[in-house]
Amino acid sequence: MNPVSGRPTLRTMTYAHAMAGNGSPHTADDIAQRLRRVKRLAWILDAAFRLPGTRFRVGVDAIVGLLPVGGSAVMGLVSLYIVWEAWRLRVPSALLVRMVGNVLLETAVDTIPVAGDLFDAAFKANLRNVALLEQHFGHRAR
């Protein structure tokens, strides 16, 4: 414990402290910072690379999803990080279900050879989920 503030220090902070936000609600700055972080991740996963000669963008998710056997599953787990952040921000259950549905749909369809990869590249579940979060918190999409 910090003797001045009485709050847990990094060394004494438990998982319960971290999940509870130290007993205080999330501030607007904290929410904005988390939204920026997941938006950056979603962009890397869904739109980091422009296909030459087109305006179409793909991300790491579509590229790794091309790998046989585990690529889709691994990227589905990475996509769930955005959902986890939403859960930590205490968004409504209905929104969490919708976000998980986006990830599950993209992951399930991505298991179909070729057509699934095309769907994955077009659907962009991570960017959709970040847009849902921004809409919920009233942040302007940039």
Side-chain angles (χ1 to χ4, degrees), residues 26-45:
H26 295 287
T27 65
D29 288 340
D30 179 45
I31 292 168
Q33 181 182 14
R34 288 173 190 246
L35 286 176
R36 279 191 302 273
R37 184 173 48 241
V38 295
K39 187 174 187 173
R40 186 173 35 246
L41 174 63
W43 186 83
I44 291 168
L45 292 175

Side-chain angles (χ1 to χ4, degrees), residues 30-49 57-61 75 78 81-82 85 126-131 133-134 142:
D30 179 45
I31 292 168
Q33 181 182 14
R34 288 173 190 246
L35 286 176
R36 279 191 302 273
R37 184 173 48 241
V38 295
K39 187 174 187 173
R40 186 173 35 246
L41 174 63
W43 186 83
I44 291 168
L45 292 175
D46 288 344
F49 310 104
R57 301 187 74 84
V58 296
V60 174
D61 189 3
M75 294 315 297
V78 173
Y81 171 76
I82 295 170
E85 280 289 348
N126 301 300
L127 289 174
R128 286 175 184 260
N129 285 343
V130 169
L133 284 175
E134 288 179 332
R142 294 180 194 155

